[in-house]
Amino acid sequence: MGVVNVTADSFSDGGRYLDPEAAVARARELVGDGAAIVDVGGESTRPGAHRVPAELERDRVVPVIAALAAEGIAVSVDTMRASVAAAALDAGAAIVNDVSGGRADPDMTRVVADSDAPWILMHWRPSPGAPGPVWAGIHHEITEYDDVVAEVRDELLHQADAAIAAGIARERIVLDPGLGFAKNAAHNWALLHGLPALQDTGFRILVGASRKRFLGELLGGREPAGREVATAAVSALAAQAGAWGVRVHDVRSTADAIAVAQAWRRGGAPT
Ligand SMILES: Nc1nc2ncc(COP(=O)(O)O)nc2c(=O)[nH]1
């Protein structure tokens, strides 16, 4: 899953793809590098970001999604808003990627249920001190966990149960541990180490580690642009662990790393 952030302030590529043509061109590049899906988002969720008006978010993503869908590219819309998801689906988006896991907008479940789109439910638990839901103001205050893997797993299963209760087939649900969302480096590494516990739920799992701060911390404070090899290593290991997908900004390095992981597991290059 290649990332195209049509935003002004995403942490690693903010502002580069605000222009629809630039965003479409970037998406074509990512597909050329091997992306099976392009994730298009119009609202940054990085720490310190602020919510953008729904109309602005919609107007950012819809033209890009419509152009890409018209070219036969599989697009996921990265949004917490039902109105934006509905507009994106109408424009041809194939997947809804919801970092709030269906909790930011009470109408989202119905929009997804009325479609046939897969729904990516990401984990993002409000911290006790957060002034309201984390998505109200994009809060990343670290929350406390006794057993982050067990708790994230259980909370994701609860979110999945709510979606299934609303009539969404379990085959349409993808779960995502939400690396870096009100989680520190220790939480993130525990979740990657514990990925088999998420795989054991039987749901498809998406991993989003690309260029994130915990990788920079591992590498002595490396800046986002210098985290590509670490991101690719995570992708290879996530593939090895059976993850359904990885959400990355640089697809080529990840595609290469996954090819190596697959050849290693097969004991040889594809015939
Ligand atoms: N499903 C999912 N969606 C996401 N959207 C945005 C970001 C933040 O990263 P970005 O600002 O680099 O896009 N991370 C995720 C993630 O980990 N999983």
Side-chain angles (χ1 to χ4, degrees):
M1 178 184 280
V3 177
V4 177
N5 286 317
V6 190
T7 59
D9 57 349
S10 287
F11 83 95
S12 68
D13 58 2
R16 289 171 57 183
Y17 308 114
L18 261 180
D19 169 62
E21 278 69 39
V24 170
R26 176 63 177 161
R28 290 189 190 117
E29 264 179 22
L30 296 176
V31 171
D33 286 340
I37 301 164
V38 175
D39 189 47
V40 178
E43 179 181 55
S44 173
T45 53
R46 69 162 177 67
H50 298 287
R51 302 291 322 252
V52 302
E55 298 71 24
L56 173 60
E57 183 190 3
R58 183 198 61 219
D59 293 348
R60 282 175 170 177
V61 300
V62 166
V64 177
I65 292 170
L68 295 176
E71 297 179 16
I73 293 172
V75 179
S76 55
V77 57
D78 188 343
T79 186
M80 295 186 269
R81 291 189 169 108
S83 61
V84 175
L89 291 166
D90 288 347
I95 299 170
V96 175
N97 174 22
D98 182 352
V99 296
S100 79
R103 294 177 300 174
D105 188 327
D107 297 332
M108 180 68 92
T109 302
R110 178 50 45 211
V111 165
V112 175
D114 289 348
S115 78
D116 58 3
W119 191 9
I120 300 168
L121 301 175
M122 196 194 79
H123 181 272
W124 187 0
R125 182 204 283 181
S127 59
V134 286
W135 42 80
I138 309 291
H139 296 294
H140 284 269
E141 289 84 0
I142 303 302
T143 190
E144 296 306 317
Y145 294 89
D146 295 325
D147 178 344
V148 64
V149 176
E151 292 173 57
V152 166
R153 181 184 184 279
D154 292 348
E155 289 167 23
L156 281 172
L157 286 176
H158 180 73
Q159 292 167 232
D161 287 347
I164 292 165
I168 294 166
R170 61 180 294 123
E171 296 72 32
R172 286 171 54 186
I173 293 168
V174 179
L175 301 182
D176 180 327
L179 299 179
F181 283 79
K183 301 180 184 82
N184 61 27
H187 297 143
N188 296 335
W189 289 117
L191 285 164
L192 289 174
H193 177 75
L195 207 61
L198 294 184
Q199 287 293 129
D200 289 348
T201 62
F203 287 100
R204 289 177 287 177
I205 302 300
L206 177 71
V207 172
S210 185
R211 298 182 184 168
K212 285 186 178 174
R213 183 183 312 174
F214 77 107
L215 297 178
E217 288 174 7
L218 177 75
L219 303 172
R222 189 80 58 80
E223 80 294 342
R227 301 171 188 167
E228 291 308 359
V229 174
T231 298
V234 170
S235 296
L237 292 167
Q240 194 81 338
W244 168 76
V246 286
R247 181 182 177 279
V248 297
H249 302 83
D250 181 84
V251 170
R252 185 176 171 82
S253 54
T254 269
D256 290 356
I258 290 174
V260 168
Q262 290 175 333
W264 180 304
R265 191 169 57 227
R266 267 195 306 264
T271 47

